[in-house]
Amino acid sequence: MADPGRARFTREQLQAFRDARVPDLLAPDLKLLFVGINPGLWTAAVQAHFARRGNRFYPALYRSGLTDRLIDASSGYTPEDLQHLYDRGLGISNLAHRATARADELTPDELLEGAVQLRALVARKRPQVVAFLGITAYRTAFALPKAKVGRQPEPMHEAQVWVLPNPSGLNANVQLPQLAEAFREVGRAAGVIAA
């Protein structure tokens, strides 16, 4: 494993994490569940969601007010950061759990199966809000080709369903302030941020 203070991996080292899994991060009192597409290789290597530097997930959490400090998961979670996410009632899962270099390596069947598993997770954990990060994967997983970003008309069990922009640094269509505002909106809906 790389130096825990600042993980570094070569491309060859990262390939060893292809198809690895990253466990869900689920607060005991789950209020807001973020759902990514699938783990990237860096995330699998350090076992922390959205860990690649340049991903805007944690900056958006901080700027939205969902966390009170900026979390750097690029070398894995510190116990304090993990506890902070739990204390805030936050969770992170994925539609597909197999790590790949790019999300387009997943098959539509993997996303469809992931939707079935996610419904079961939501039924067990009962969050207030489920927020999907990426419209294209959401459309495929739930066979909703016309779905748009924002709150969805149908709940999942009793949870509100939202689709937000993908926080990947590759998604240049949405800047960090817009992403933070979308996170703030779901945080209010989930009762994590005061209205």
Side-chain angles (χ1 to χ4, degrees):
M1 179 61 97
D3 170 17
R6 181 132 175 151
R8 293 187 186 275
F9 301 97
T10 66
R11 284 181 192 237
E12 293 75 26
Q13 288 171 324
L14 285 175
Q15 289 305 312
F17 295 97
R18 186 172 289 282
D19 299 327
R21 295 177 60 90
V22 178
D24 291 337
L25 184 156
L26 301 169
D29 181 22
L30 184 63
K31 295 181 174 112
L32 173 54
L33 177 63
F34 287 100
V35 181
I37 300 167
N38 75 308
L41 300 179
W42 193 282
T43 285
V46 299
Q47 292 290 290
H49 296 274
F50 301 105
R52 184 174 276 288
R53 289 196 184 278
N55 191 295
R56 299 168 301 168
F57 180 78
Y58 295 103
L61 277 185
Y62 175 62
R63 289 182 93 173
S64 71
L66 282 165
T67 59
D68 64 11
R69 63 182 175 272
L70 181 58
I71 292 172
D72 178 357
S74 64
S75 295
Y77 294 117
T78 66
E80 298 79 19
D81 287 340
L82 201 53
Q83 188 61 52
H84 184 57
L85 294 168
Y86 290 154
D87 291 346
R88 301 293 292 170
L90 303 177
I92 306 171
S93 186
N94 288 287
L95 279 168
H97 292 279
R98 156 175 101 83
T100 62
R102 296 183 331 269
D104 65 5
E105 295 175 42
L106 300 171
T107 67
D109 285 346
E110 286 179 281
L111 295 174
L112 290 165
E113 175 58 30
V116 171
Q117 292 177 13
L118 187 70
R119 285 183 193 279
L121 174 65
V122 171
R124 279 194 322 274
K125 296 302 285 183
R126 298 285 184 197
Q128 298 296 309
V129 172
V130 178
F132 291 89
L133 302 171
I135 186 70
T136 303
Y138 176 79
R139 287 173 176 160
T140 301
F142 292 93
L144 295 168
K146 297 185 180 187
K148 298 192 181 329
V149 170
R151 185 172 175 184
Q152 303 303 298
E154 294 295 320
M156 183 177 292
H157 298 284
E158 294 165 20
Q160 291 180 24
V161 175
W162 291 70
V163 178
L164 307 182
N166 189 318
S168 167
L170 300 175
N171 182 7
N173 295 330
V174 178
Q175 299 302 310
L176 182 56
Q178 297 165 283
L179 194 57
E181 183 52 41
F183 278 36
R184 187 175 301 115
E185 194 171 7
V186 297
R188 287 186 186 122
V192 178
I193 298 173

